[in-house]
Structures are given as structure tokens and as C-alpha cells.
Amino acid sequence: MEKQEPVAIIVGAGPSGLAVAACLNRLSIPNIILEREDCFASLWKKKSYDRLHLHLPKQYCELPHMPFPTRFPTYVPKKLFLQYLDDYVSRFNISPMYRKLVESASHDGVTERWRVRVRNTGGSEEAQVEEYSGRFLVVASGETSDVFVPEVKGLDSFGGEVMHSTKYKCGEKYSGKRALVVGSGNSGMEIALDLSLHGADTSIVVRSPRHILSREMLYMGLEMLKYGIPLPTTESLLVLLSKLWYGDLTKYGIQRPQEGPLSLKVKYGKYPVVDVGTYKKIKSGQIQVLPAIASIRGNEVEFENGNSHPFDAIVFATGFKRSTHKWLKGDNYLLNEDGIPKPSFPNHWKGENGLYCAGLSRRGFYGAAMDAQNIANDIKTSL
């Protein structure tokens, strides 16, 4: 069934999609947001752990045209961030359309419109197919659209609890149990800390080299870049400070990467670990660092160094995959197979035939806010 036609169609109601809608609404440009879940910001509302805080100071995490309230702390906790998003949606009159799973989006060269085919999964009857069209299409489905769990030999034989980090909330029920966290990004490191603080016998798999920075170090690095200090100089100082503060990490089973912490983030999406207490637990031996998993047999997990340990629970903090390539048709310019922009920053947000992407610059909320404003202004100019 054909719906009334908006000027712009936004796919995804995470913070990036909300930011684009807010900027378009301020310019009185009709738009719709198609969201496959039943709420906006579902990753934050339903799929994040309780102790989560923004890793950057709040001024780097604001969405366009609405600063955080001054009463909010520098590092905003999940609960207050969700309150901020609720207020943002209200202020800019954003009304996402929920349970709209995009199956395909293609550009019609004759009408010069994007045709978006959607499965409406909200009804109790069989899911209906709907079609929307608009002159512009904004991909705002994010870096974190589909959970990724690696294949592990024997995982199906594990007798304990297995989950992805999106299902983990709090370590309370794991007190006294043996818990293994697989993945050493920020989520993995914080979940390991949370488990340990709640009395779990905690281990974490660290497969690849990691930069560990304090909040203050990362903030200082961002401020240096803001004031025009070159990236190599900034990174050299951050690595030096990390070495002085955290010492030799190899004795705990953690290698430092050869490339700098900010370069890795921009090139490969590998964020530095922002330490909020995990390092102290690793140093004291309360969290054990283990190498990659070789196989699992029952509750015994064997590691690549030949050692094996029993566990009661495994949390896979192994990240996400993009799903854009499954539904976006005919784009050979803007996004690669992995759903990341081909053009480099700062020209990454604009494709051809009225196609845009928001929140994929690997620069967090700060990058998403810039994308949203660029997209809205460009659409306004085109009209």
C-alpha cells in the first residue's frame, strides 16, 4: 500500500536518526523515520547494561540544537541520557514509525525518488508489506545494527548461561559464580568490572592489542585536537601518559597497539578502552586476563595457550555488524560492504541521487550531530 510522500525518509531512530529529524523539522522539511524496533534509541533503552555512562564529557555528546542541562554530571549516566533523548524527541516533535523493518530501498531514475519497501511487524496479523517514497534517503541505522557472536567450537555444549552483551544488565545474580567475558572493548571491560564488583569470579578474553586511557586523558586528547594540535603529537602524548599511568600492560596479558588510539578509532572503529576501574581489578588479580578461546566442552573452556577453566556464564561482548548491504540497492558510491562510508571524513555523509548517511563517521555523537546538520542544510539547498 502506498503512503503519503515525505521529502526525506530516515532509516533508524537511534540518536543519529533523531538528530537528522530534528534538523529537518527545524527547517520545516517533511520527513519520516522508519524504525524496526518498538521504540527509539532501542540500543540504549533495551540493550545496554545498567552502569553505562557516556565515555566522553557531555559537551562532546550533545545532539544538534539542544545542550545537556547544566545540572547533568560531566559523564552522563544511561538514565539521564534517556531522559535527554525523551526531551529531545518532544522538543523537536519527532514521531518515528515503529515496527517498520526495511526490506529494500532503491532509487527510481525516472521519478527521481527513493522507493523503500517495508515489512510492518507491529500487527497481530501476518506482517504487511508497505511502500514509501521520498526524494531523499538517510541511512541512520548505525554502526551497531545486528549483534555479532563468533563461532566457537563446542559452544552448543556449554551447560551454563550464554548471552551477548546486549542482554546483560547487572552482575548481581552472578555473585559467587565463575563468569567469562569475551571481548575487551569498552563494553567488555565494563561488564567485567560490574561482574567483579558484584562478587563474581571474573575473567576476560583479550585477543587483540588495546590502548587503555583514563577519561581525563581522552578528554585532553580531544581538546588538543580541537585547538589544532596535530594528531601525531596528540597521540604520542596520550600513549606516553598511558604508559606512565598504567605501566607495562604485557605482564597482565594486554599488548599495546602500534598505531595511536585516535587513529585506530577513525580507521577501524576500534575505540580505546576508557578505564573506569577495570585496570585496578586486573592489576590486583581480581579479574583474570585470558587469551582467545580454542574450544568449549561442557562447562570447560579451553584457551589458545592450552589452559582450560570451568565457567558458569559467558558474556560475548563481541560487537555488531551492519545490515545495510542487505536492503540498500544500487548504491556503489557511499557505503562499502560493511556498511561504512567509502568517502573519507569530512565528505563521508553524502552519496548520489539524494542518498545520505548519519552517524557512520566513527566520531561518536559529535560526528552524528555534524552529519545531521550537514544533511539537513544540503537537503534545504537542493529544495
Short mmCIF file of all heavy atoms in Angstrom, two decimals, residues 36 141-150 164 318-327 337-340 360:
data_model
loop_
_atom_site.label_atom_id
_atom_site.label_comp_id
_atom_site.label_asym_id
_atom_site.label_seq_id
_atom_site.Cartn_x
_atom_site.Cartn_y
_atom_site.Cartn_z
N ARG A 36 12.78 -0.32 13.04
CA ARG A 36 12.34 -1.72 13.11
C ARG A 36 11.93 -2.16 14.51
O ARG A 36 11.17 -3.10 14.68
CB ARG A 36 13.45 -2.64 12.59
CG ARG A 36 14.69 -2.68 13.45
CD ARG A 36 15.75 -3.58 12.84
NE ARG A 36 16.92 -3.65 13.72
CZ ARG A 36 18.01 -4.35 13.44
NH1 ARG A 36 18.10 -5.01 12.31
NH2 ARG A 36 19.03 -4.37 14.28
N SER A 141 20.93 3.83 10.37
CA SER A 141 20.75 2.56 11.10
C SER A 141 21.96 2.20 11.95
O SER A 141 21.95 1.20 12.66
CB SER A 141 20.41 1.43 10.13
OG SER A 141 21.25 1.46 9.00
N GLY A 142 23.02 3.00 11.86
CA GLY A 142 24.10 2.93 12.84
C GLY A 142 25.16 1.86 12.63
O GLY A 142 25.06 0.99 11.77
N GLU A 143 26.19 1.99 13.48
CA GLU A 143 27.30 1.03 13.47
C GLU A 143 26.93 -0.25 14.22
O GLU A 143 27.63 -1.24 14.15
CB GLU A 143 28.53 1.64 14.15
CG GLU A 143 29.17 2.78 13.39
CD GLU A 143 30.41 3.30 14.10
OE1 GLU A 143 31.30 2.48 14.43
OE2 GLU A 143 30.49 4.51 14.36
N THR A 144 25.83 -0.21 14.95
CA THR A 144 25.52 -1.31 15.88
C THR A 144 24.17 -1.94 15.58
O THR A 144 23.34 -2.10 16.47
CB THR A 144 25.52 -0.76 17.32
OG1 THR A 144 24.62 0.36 17.38
CG2 THR A 144 26.88 -0.29 17.75
N SER A 145 23.93 -2.30 14.32
CA SER A 145 22.57 -2.75 14.00
C SER A 145 22.30 -4.22 14.33
O SER A 145 21.26 -4.55 14.85
CB SER A 145 22.23 -2.44 12.54
OG SER A 145 23.07 -3.11 11.67
N ASP A 146 23.23 -5.12 14.02
CA ASP A 146 22.99 -6.56 14.27
C ASP A 146 24.08 -7.12 15.18
O ASP A 146 25.27 -6.93 14.92
CB ASP A 146 22.98 -7.35 12.95
CG ASP A 146 21.78 -7.00 12.08
OD1 ASP A 146 20.87 -6.32 12.57
OD2 ASP A 146 21.77 -7.40 10.90
N VAL A 147 23.66 -7.83 16.23
CA VAL A 147 24.65 -8.38 17.17
C VAL A 147 25.53 -9.42 16.47
O VAL A 147 25.09 -10.13 15.57
CB VAL A 147 23.99 -9.00 18.42
CG1 VAL A 147 23.20 -7.97 19.18
CG2 VAL A 147 23.13 -10.20 18.06
N PHE A 148 26.80 -9.49 16.92
CA PHE A 148 27.74 -10.46 16.36
C PHE A 148 28.27 -11.36 17.47
O PHE A 148 28.80 -10.88 18.47
CB PHE A 148 28.90 -9.74 15.67
CG PHE A 148 30.02 -10.66 15.26
CD1 PHE A 148 29.84 -11.57 14.22
CD2 PHE A 148 31.24 -10.65 15.93
CE1 PHE A 148 30.85 -12.44 13.85
CE2 PHE A 148 32.26 -11.51 15.57
CZ PHE A 148 32.07 -12.41 14.51
N VAL A 149 28.10 -12.66 17.28
CA VAL A 149 28.71 -13.65 18.18
C VAL A 149 29.56 -14.58 17.32
O VAL A 149 29.05 -15.18 16.36
CB VAL A 149 27.64 -14.48 18.94
CG1 VAL A 149 28.29 -15.57 19.78
CG2 VAL A 149 26.80 -13.57 19.83
N PRO A 150 30.86 -14.69 17.59
CA PRO A 150 31.72 -15.53 16.76
C PRO A 150 31.39 -17.00 16.92
O PRO A 150 30.81 -17.41 17.94
CB PRO A 150 33.13 -15.22 17.29
CG PRO A 150 32.91 -14.79 18.70
CD PRO A 150 31.59 -14.09 18.73
N HIS A 164 24.80 -12.41 24.61
CA HIS A 164 25.52 -11.28 24.03
C HIS A 164 25.42 -10.13 25.03
O HIS A 164 24.50 -10.08 25.85
CB HIS A 164 24.88 -10.88 22.69
CG HIS A 164 25.66 -9.84 21.94
ND1 HIS A 164 25.39 -8.49 22.05
CD2 HIS A 164 26.71 -9.94 21.08
CE1 HIS A 164 26.24 -7.82 21.28
NE2 HIS A 164 27.05 -8.67 20.68
N THR A 318 31.18 -8.96 21.88
CA THR A 318 31.92 -9.09 20.62
C THR A 318 31.38 -8.18 19.52
O THR A 318 31.68 -8.37 18.34
CB THR A 318 31.90 -10.56 20.16
OG1 THR A 318 30.58 -11.11 20.37
CG2 THR A 318 32.88 -11.38 20.95
N GLY A 319 30.57 -7.20 19.90
CA GLY A 319 30.21 -6.15 18.97
C GLY A 319 29.08 -6.46 18.01
O GLY A 319 28.23 -7.31 18.28
N PHE A 320 29.11 -5.77 16.88
CA PHE A 320 27.98 -5.72 15.97
C PHE A 320 28.44 -5.78 14.52
O PHE A 320 29.58 -5.50 14.21
CB PHE A 320 27.20 -4.41 16.17
CG PHE A 320 26.67 -4.23 17.56
CD1 PHE A 320 27.47 -3.71 18.57
CD2 PHE A 320 25.36 -4.57 17.88
CE1 PHE A 320 26.99 -3.53 19.86
CE2 PHE A 320 24.87 -4.40 19.16
CZ PHE A 320 25.68 -3.89 20.15
N LYS A 321 27.49 -6.09 13.66
CA LYS A 321 27.68 -5.99 12.21
C LYS A 321 26.60 -5.04 11.67
O LYS A 321 25.51 -4.95 12.23
CB LYS A 321 27.50 -7.36 11.54
CG LYS A 321 28.58 -8.38 11.92
CD LYS A 321 29.86 -8.10 11.18
CE LYS A 321 30.88 -9.21 11.42
NZ LYS A 321 32.21 -8.87 10.87
N ARG A 322 26.91 -4.38 10.57
CA ARG A 322 25.91 -3.56 9.91
C ARG A 322 25.04 -4.44 9.01
O ARG A 322 25.50 -5.47 8.52
CB ARG A 322 26.59 -2.50 9.03
CG ARG A 322 26.81 -1.16 9.70
CD ARG A 322 27.80 -1.17 10.83
NE ARG A 322 29.11 -1.63 10.42
CZ ARG A 322 30.09 -1.93 11.25
NH1 ARG A 322 29.90 -1.84 12.55
NH2 ARG A 322 31.25 -2.35 10.82
N SER A 323 23.80 -4.01 8.78
CA SER A 323 22.90 -4.79 7.91
C SER A 323 22.50 -4.03 6.65
O SER A 323 21.68 -4.49 5.87
CB SER A 323 21.64 -5.17 8.70
OG SER A 323 20.99 -4.01 9.17
N THR A 324 23.12 -2.86 6.43
CA THR A 324 22.72 -2.01 5.31
C THR A 324 22.79 -2.72 3.97
O THR A 324 21.92 -2.55 3.11
CB THR A 324 23.64 -0.76 5.25
OG1 THR A 324 23.98 -0.38 6.57
CG2 THR A 324 22.94 0.39 4.56
N HIS A 325 23.85 -3.54 3.78
CA HIS A 325 24.04 -4.19 2.48
C HIS A 325 22.89 -5.13 2.13
O HIS A 325 22.69 -5.46 0.96
CB HIS A 325 25.37 -4.96 2.47
CG HIS A 325 25.40 -6.11 3.42
ND1 HIS A 325 25.60 -5.93 4.78
CD2 HIS A 325 25.23 -7.44 3.24
CE1 HIS A 325 25.55 -7.11 5.38
NE2 HIS A 325 25.34 -8.04 4.47
N LYS A 326 22.12 -5.53 3.13
CA LYS A 326 21.01 -6.46 2.87
C LYS A 326 19.83 -5.75 2.20
O LYS A 326 19.05 -6.38 1.50
CB LYS A 326 20.53 -7.10 4.18
CG LYS A 326 21.56 -7.98 4.86
CD LYS A 326 21.01 -8.49 6.19
CE LYS A 326 22.06 -9.26 6.97
NZ LYS A 326 21.59 -9.62 8.33
N TRP A 327 19.67 -4.45 2.44
CA TRP A 327 18.47 -3.77 1.92
C TRP A 327 18.73 -2.58 1.00
O TRP A 327 17.87 -2.21 0.22
CB TRP A 327 17.56 -3.34 3.07
CG TRP A 327 18.19 -2.48 4.14
CD1 TRP A 327 18.72 -2.90 5.32
CD2 TRP A 327 18.34 -1.06 4.13
NE1 TRP A 327 19.21 -1.84 6.04
CE2 TRP A 327 18.98 -0.70 5.35
CE3 TRP A 327 17.99 -0.05 3.23
CZ2 TRP A 327 19.28 0.62 5.68
CZ3 TRP A 327 18.29 1.26 3.55
CH2 TRP A 327 18.93 1.59 4.77
N GLU A 337 30.73 -2.74 1.66
CA GLU A 337 30.03 -3.98 2.03
C GLU A 337 29.75 -4.07 3.53
O GLU A 337 28.80 -4.70 3.96
CB GLU A 337 30.87 -5.20 1.60
CG GLU A 337 30.57 -5.70 0.20
CD GLU A 337 29.22 -6.38 0.09
OE1 GLU A 337 29.01 -7.42 0.73
OE2 GLU A 337 28.35 -5.85 -0.64
N ASP A 338 30.61 -3.44 4.32
CA ASP A 338 30.47 -3.49 5.77
C ASP A 338 29.58 -2.37 6.30
O ASP A 338 29.45 -2.20 7.51
CB ASP A 338 31.86 -3.44 6.41
CG ASP A 338 31.85 -3.85 7.87
OD1 ASP A 338 30.96 -4.64 8.25
OD2 ASP A 338 32.69 -3.36 8.64
N GLY A 339 28.98 -1.58 5.39
CA GLY A 339 28.08 -0.51 5.84
C GLY A 339 28.78 0.73 6.35
O GLY A 339 28.19 1.55 7.04
N ILE A 340 30.07 0.89 6.01
CA ILE A 340 30.85 2.05 6.42
C ILE A 340 31.09 2.93 5.19
O ILE A 340 31.29 2.42 4.09
CB ILE A 340 32.20 1.60 7.04
CG1 ILE A 340 31.95 0.78 8.31
CG2 ILE A 340 33.12 2.77 7.34
CD1 ILE A 340 31.27 1.53 9.43
N LEU A 360 27.93 7.49 10.93
CA LEU A 360 28.84 6.43 10.50
C LEU A 360 30.27 6.94 10.30
O LEU A 360 31.08 6.30 9.63
CB LEU A 360 28.34 5.79 9.19
CG LEU A 360 27.03 4.99 9.31
CD1 LEU A 360 26.57 4.54 7.93
CD2 LEU A 360 27.21 3.78 10.22
#
